[in-house]
Amino acid sequence: MFSSEKIRTLLEQLGVTHVVTVPDSTIGRWQTAIEERGTPRLVRVCREGEAWQVAAGLQLGGATPLVLIQCTGLLESGDAIRNALHDFGLPLFAIIGYRSYLNQDTLPGDTCLVFTEPTLDAWKIDYRLVTRPSQFDDIRPHFVACRDAGKPGAILLAEGKA
Amino acid sequence: MTSPTTTPTAPRTHMPAKDALAAVHAARDPRDIVITTMTPARDWMLLPQQPLDLVLVPSAMGSAPPLGLGLALAQPTRRVIVCNGDGSMLMNLGALVSIANARPANLVLIVFVNGTYEVTGSQPVPGAGVVDYPALARAAGFESVHAYGSLHEWQSAVRRIIAVPGPTFVALDVEQVHGQPGPKSPGPARERARQFMQALRG
Ligand SMILES: Cc1ncc(C[n+]2csc(CCOP(=O)(O)OP(=O)(O)O)c2C)c(N)n1
């Protein structure tokens, strides 16, 4: 939906220092642009629960991390989210790929569509659903609003395939 | 049919966990960040505390090493020392790979290998007595890897080991302790996070 460079530039403008990530086929395409420019720094982890924990350490250390994962990874991250966001009160921000939202050809009846949004609600993560390219301009104000309010937030980015 | 071959391991010595941790406490610089979790957290709280101590109680079990990675990346001029349990390490073994991949020279990860989940009543961890933690760390890409079972040797080595550029991995074979209560949170975690960030800003 968005070009890699467009996203990378936005993250840089927002002051994001580190992108902590496990890829999917949509958000994974952004890695090259991020890594080529070196800003923000790309941090690859092995599972998404770890991504929140690395981001928590970054935030405690004064950096501005972004968690970049697929919604499947959100579903495996529960205890890490609970501890980082709600025990330690760290207002982490994430961009989360919403698998199958635009197209269920690969995975008809993908249960990600059933559980992703209730999970975000359960974890009290204030999210905006982005389904069209014209909503690119919604990302910045939501990021800024969450940062200013000191609360966790996310962009839930509709994707077309697994 | 071939049968698996094993090399008998030398009998392992074990040191008292509290003394092993006290050696870390004695060696740390006040500028160092020290993250403790599980029984290392309980025992750390019995020692004099510093503003850059992060007692990870409550935790997400397994979260101390990745949290340390994030802190090490955000604070490259400070050493970050993580004191972890072996059960917690097993819960997040991929973190060894993530750490080695990010190569933070200022991160020291120490695993207290007691073979049990002591906090929950000393049930055995999977692979107790078999898993070779230093080999796992080396295979993940750590270059500075150490193992100690003798308290005296650990006490003599700790300062030198944590001074070497890392990431550094240390496995400490420690004695099992039974019947002790687990760590208690030293206070509201949000407030402690805020104080910790303030202390980092100086
Ligand atoms: C995800 C998760 N599963 C299980 C538990 C229950 N639990 C609390 S402490 C603990 C044992 C920790 O063992 P280890 O890391 O080896 O540290 P030790 O108690 O031996 O110091 C377990 C299993 C938990 N807190 N979180």
Side-chain angles (χ1 to χ4, degrees):
Chain A
M1 191 178 313
F2 308 125
S3 81
S4 311
E5 188 47 32
K6 199 169 175 179
I7 284 286
R8 193 207 65 77
T9 305
L10 174 67
L11 297 180
E12 189 175 12
Q13 288 169 351
L14 290 171
V16 171
T17 56
H18 298 77
V19 173
V20 193
T21 191
V22 176
D24 72 7
S25 51
T26 301
I27 58 175
R29 291 203 208 105
W30 302 347
Q31 286 196 8
T32 312
I34 295 171
E35 210 157 36
E36 270 169 10
R37 295 293 289 268
T39 319
R41 176 170 172 182
L42 193 73
V43 183
R44 295 191 168 92
V45 292
C46 301
R47 48 179 279 263
E48 291 83 354
E50 226 193 304
W52 297 94
Q53 295 154 355
V54 172
L58 283 160
Q59 186 116 353
L60 280 169
T64 306
L66 176 95
V67 173
L68 179 62
I69 57 176
Q70 191 183 59
C71 59
T72 47
L74 169 77
L75 299 175
E76 87 89 27
S77 296
D79 201 37
I81 291 176
R82 181 194 57 74
N83 185 241
L85 272 52
H86 299 296
D87 288 344
F88 283 89
L90 299 170
L92 300 177
F93 198 88
I95 297 182
I96 300 171
Y98 201 175
R99 193 176 80 176
S100 304
Y101 186 90
L102 298 173
N103 172 343
Q104 292 186 50
D105 286 353
T106 314
L107 298 171
D110 190 349
T111 50
C112 279
L113 300 174
V114 178
F115 295 109
T116 297
E117 292 184 66
T119 300
L120 283 165
D121 288 333
W123 290 121
K124 303 188 192 311
I125 296 174
D126 184 4
Y127 69 95
R128 294 287 175 279
L129 177 59
V130 169
T131 61
R132 300 181 309 278
S134 61
Q135 286 176 279
F136 182 80
D137 292 336
D138 296 349
I139 300 176
R140 181 192 304 269
H142 186 52
F143 180 96
V144 171
C146 289
R147 184 190 60 198
D148 292 351
K151 67 177 181 183
I155 294 297
L156 188 56
L157 182 68
E159 295 179 344
K161 59 174 182 168
Chain B
M1 197 177 101
T2 55
S3 58
T5 56
T6 57
T7 310
T9 41
R12 285 153 70 155
T13 54
H14 294 80
M15 60 185 113
K18 277 187 183 166
D19 295 340
L21 191 72
V24 178
H25 190 272
R28 73 89 64 95
D29 184 278
R31 274 183 47 81
D32 292 345
I33 294 167
V34 181
I35 303 172
T36 52
T37 187
M38 302 301 169
T39 58
R42 176 194 66 199
D43 295 343
W44 189 264
M45 286 187 270
L46 300 173
L47 301 165
Q49 301 296 286
Q50 302 256 7
L52 294 182
D53 293 351
L54 189 62
V55 173
L56 206 56
V57 181
S59 70
M61 186 173 162
S63 63
L67 197 87
L69 170 58
L71 273 162
L73 293 175
Q75 293 281 324
T77 63
R78 284 179 198 276
R79 187 163 52 199
V80 178
I81 302 172
V82 177
C83 298
N84 202 22
D86 49 358
S88 298
M89 194 68 251
L90 290 173
M91 189 165 278
N92 212 351
L93 277 180
L96 292 175
V97 178
S98 305
I99 291 169
N101 184 62
R103 305 184 76 83
N106 55 334
L107 182 62
V108 180
L109 170 54
I110 305 174
V111 178
F112 288 70
V113 181
N114 59 9
T116 65
Y117 296 118
E118 187 188 321
V119 166
T120 52
S122 298
Q123 302 85 357
V125 300
V130 175
V131 172
D132 184 341
Y133 291 92
L136 288 175
R138 243 178 253 115
F142 276 74
E143 280 166 23
S144 175
V145 177
H146 310 269
Y148 288 91
S150 145
L151 178 62
H152 176 67
E153 286 173 18
W154 170 235
Q155 285 168 330
S156 322
V158 54
R159 272 201 170 73
R160 177 172 45 80
I161 283 177
I162 66 175
V164 170
T168 297
F169 181 91
V170 186
L172 298 179
D173 282 324
V174 297
E175 290 168 0
Q176 294 182 3
V177 175
H178 299 279
Q180 297 287 312
K184 192 169 174 296
S185 170
R190 275 171 192 259
E191 181 54 22
R192 289 190 289 121
R194 205 187 52 73
Q195 285 167 358
F196 176 86
M197 290 167 90
Q198 224 164 33
L200 265 185
R201 283 195 292 269

